[in-house]
Amino acid sequence: MSSNIPDRAKPWVSIIVASIIIAVLLFATIHYFFYGSPDHQPQEKAKQPVKPPGRVHQYAAPDHSKQEEKKSIDATDMSQAQELIPLFLKTYIPWDVKQQPNSNIEKSKEYMTESFYKKVSATQQRYTLDVKRRTVTNIELTPADIRQTVQWWDADIEVQQADTSGKVSTNYLLFVVKVKWENNAWKIDDVGVRTGEWSL
């Protein structure tokens, strides 16, 4: 048969035959993977009886102490969080160079979560050289994000600062305060400037 094909047509015939063989192999492979593989036979698997598992994992009983922390918090509890923030800020923000560097942290410890207290007491606070005393004169709070067990409040704090020469000036500190429901009470869990930096 190859003798009847002119020499010019032989390469084209070979290409066509090779293309047909490749197409048949490609079609057979695709057909096997999409229709002939064991993964693609859901009807046959559904007809087979289901064997019960030999061993079933038993989950532990729920921890009721954690559920108590997730109790619903009413309006009274929410207002308690709002009342806590000024108490904390009035002890945390003021300082005097005559006192120990972290005395404000110790004074405000009762209002903090244990983890936040450990975090801020581990860092030594730095004061400016020209300011020797700072007192809080006014605090304005605005709710930023109120949730059931965590609240964020914007705090605009007006402070008076006395420099080394005795000159008193008024400044404003813009903070975000995070309050957390922990051990059946609201506690301060973090403090940061409004730019997003936390734990001053």
Side-chain angles (χ1 to χ4, degrees):
M1 179 172 150
S2 62
S3 60
N4 297 340
I5 300 173
D7 288 337
R8 284 188 316 178
K10 284 183 182 180
W12 288 104
V13 171
S14 299
I15 292 172
I16 292 171
V17 170
S19 297
I20 291 172
I21 292 172
I22 291 172
V24 169
L25 289 174
L26 185 62
F27 176 76
T29 304
I30 290 172
H31 183 69
Y32 172 77
F33 281 113
F34 285 105
Y35 300 107
S37 70
D39 295 337
H40 197 276
Q41 297 174 358
Q43 288 97 7
E44 292 178 16
K45 285 187 178 181
K47 292 178 185 176
Q48 295 176 356
V50 178
K51 294 180 182 178
R55 185 174 174 186
V56 177
H57 178 70
Q58 296 291 325
Y59 291 96
D63 188 359
H64 294 290
S65 64
K66 290 183 180 178
Q67 287 181 349
E68 290 173 7
E69 284 188 34
K70 294 181 179 178
K71 76 173 188 83
S72 62
I73 297 170
D74 59 13
T76 305
D77 291 330
M78 298 299 250
S79 65
Q80 289 173 354
Q82 186 177 0
E83 293 168 6
L84 171 74
I85 297 169
L87 295 173
F88 166 74
L89 292 173
K90 286 177 182 176
T91 56
Y92 183 74
I93 300 296
W95 57 270
D96 194 323
V97 292
K98 296 176 186 174
Q99 297 176 351
Q100 293 294 324
N102 287 353
S103 64
N104 60 332
I105 294 172
E106 294 303 319
K107 289 177 186 176
S108 56
K109 178 181 178 180
E110 66 180 294
Y111 306 115
M112 298 184 205
T113 61
E114 186 176 332
S115 61
F116 180 55
Y117 171 73
K118 287 178 181 177
K119 188 178 183 181
V120 294
S121 60
T123 59
Q124 184 175 3
Q125 293 191 346
R126 298 180 199 161
Y127 305 117
T128 59
L129 296 175
D130 58 341
V131 177
K132 66 177 191 175
R133 186 173 18 93
R134 179 171 63 198
T135 58
V136 175
T137 55
N138 189 32
I139 299 172
E140 292 182 17
L141 296 176
T142 307
D145 188 3
I146 304 297
R147 299 182 188 178
Q148 194 167 9
T149 57
V150 178
Q151 299 181 16
W152 286 267
W153 290 78
D154 290 339
D156 298 345
I157 307 159
E158 182 181 310
V159 295
Q160 286 190 343
Q161 297 180 155
D163 62 14
T164 52
S165 65
K167 182 182 175 188
V168 177
S169 62
T170 301
N171 289 315
Y172 295 92
L173 306 174
L174 306 176
F175 282 175
V176 175
V177 181
K178 179 183 177 187
V179 187
K180 183 178 179 183
W181 182 257
E182 186 174 278
N183 299 326
N184 295 322
W186 288 107
K187 296 285 185 176
I188 305 297
D189 195 44
D190 215 339
V191 176
V193 294
R194 239 167 280 132
T195 58
E197 186 167 331
W198 293 82
S199 301
L200 296 179

